[in-house]
Amino acid sequence: MRRLLAFASCLVGCYSPQPPAGAPCPDGACPDGLVCSPATQTCERRAVDAGAHDATPGDGRLADASIDAAIAVDAPTSGAILVQQKGRERIASSSLATTLDVPPVAGHTLVMIGGGPVAPLVGVSGGGIATWTRAAFSPVAANVEIWYGVTDGSSSTVTITAQSAASSLTMLVTEWSGIATTLALDGAAADAVQPGEATAGQIATTNAHDLVLFAVASFTPNTYGTLSGYTALTSLAGTQTGVSQVAWYREVTTTGTFAPSVSVTNSEWDACLVALELAP
């Protein structure tokens, strides 16, 4: 009787209602309850596509996890990215052009920061942008202006045009990804020749995710201070033109009031402050 009970216990304990996974299936046939997985050529409870090379035989959950991880790695990140920048200056000219080192990407935003003393620019052209928008300008002394537009990628050269052939021109062109392609301007301010630090005043943004740009131009000689919380762009010393230019940027993720300022040693300065909305 004890032998019969032991034999019965073995039958109960050793029987599995599901056939074991992992056996080869070169002919594509598997026992009931299993399928031949293309990725491993073995009998599994779930088939895994042959493209999922990281799948683990016999465990569909691990296969799914490896696929999800690959998607997460390739997911794009949001926010503004400075792709490239190029600056130039020229004395006694009615126009000034600069060519980016790499052709801009269609859909990216180009921002031109620059100008010529006393008078505002006539306009900005090129860079694959049909119509440039002037976001802010201050032409009181050295003059600084901020223009922007969405490029179609057809041109790397941007040109600014002055009102006089005797102008000393300064320009910095930057390329950005992540900026909204329509209705991007979320705030702008400008000021000039005030006592104390150089500032454009303040802007109050209405969009939670913006790129804030702050630029100052001054007659030389001049020494600029540092600006905490912002990242500096390429500065132009004004060795040819007698006008030096500095600019900074900052990405913000909440609405608020922004009024950056920087110390200067020459009071003949102009400043601009602009906020551009980032793409959702």
Side-chain angles (χ1 to χ4, degrees), residues 1-274:
M1 178 63 70
R2 284 196 296 268
R3 290 181 180 178
L4 289 174
L5 290 174
F7 178 69
S9 298
C10 180
L11 288 177
V12 173
C14 298
Y15 172 74
S16 173
Q18 294 288 340
C25 54
D27 56 357
C30 289
D32 290 343
L34 298 179
V35 293
C36 188
S37 176
T40 60
Q41 288 297 301
T42 56
C43 294
E44 307 295 343
R45 294 184 180 88
R46 293 178 58 188
V48 178
D49 186 77
H53 299 295
D54 294 334
T56 301
D59 194 336
R61 292 172 300 174
L62 289 178
D64 289 345
S66 66
I67 296 170
D68 291 342
I71 294 173
V73 169
D74 295 336
T77 57
S78 61
I81 297 176
L82 175 61
V83 178
Q84 60 179 324
Q85 55 183 321
K86 190 71 172 289
R88 194 180 178 196
E89 56 183 343
R90 175 186 289 177
I91 191 170
S93 177
S94 60
S95 65
L96 175 62
T98 188
T99 301
L100 294 170
D101 293 333
V102 179
V105 175
H108 283 187
T109 297
L110 300 186
V111 176
M112 195 293 299
I113 302 173
V118 181
L121 294 173
V122 173
V124 181
S125 60
I129 296 173
T131 303
W132 284 80
T133 299
R134 178 158 47 195
F137 72 106
S138 178
V140 177
N143 185 27
V144 66
E145 308 184 17
I146 299 179
W147 297 64
Y148 71 97
V150 179
T151 178
D152 62 9
S154 63
S155 174
S156 303
T157 301
V158 177
T159 302
I160 61 175
T161 303
Q163 297 188 25
S164 169
S167 294
S168 297
L169 298 175
T170 301
M171 67 184 300
L172 172 67
V173 179
T174 57
E175 178 187 355
W176 301 85
S177 67
I179 296 178
T181 55
T182 59
L183 303 175
L185 187 60
D186 192 32
D191 205 349
V193 193
Q194 300 290 343
E197 295 191 338
T199 177
Q202 70 176 28
I203 56 174
T205 60
T206 59
N207 186 61
H209 202 182
D210 280 2
L211 175 69
V212 178
L213 295 160
F214 176 55
V216 181
S218 170
F219 290 119
T220 59
N222 181 42
T223 301
Y224 298 93
T226 58
L227 185 58
S228 177
Y230 288 73
T231 301
L233 293 168
T234 297
S235 60
L236 300 171
T239 53
Q240 298 180 41
T241 61
V243 174
S244 62
Q245 177 182 291
V246 291
W248 297 265
Y249 70 93
R250 174 185 177 186
E251 184 174 336
V252 297
T253 55
T254 58
T255 58
T257 300
F258 302 93
S261 63
V262 64
S263 62
V264 291
T265 57
N266 190 322
S267 62
E268 293 186 303
W269 53 263
D270 289 88
C272 287
L273 178 64
V274 168

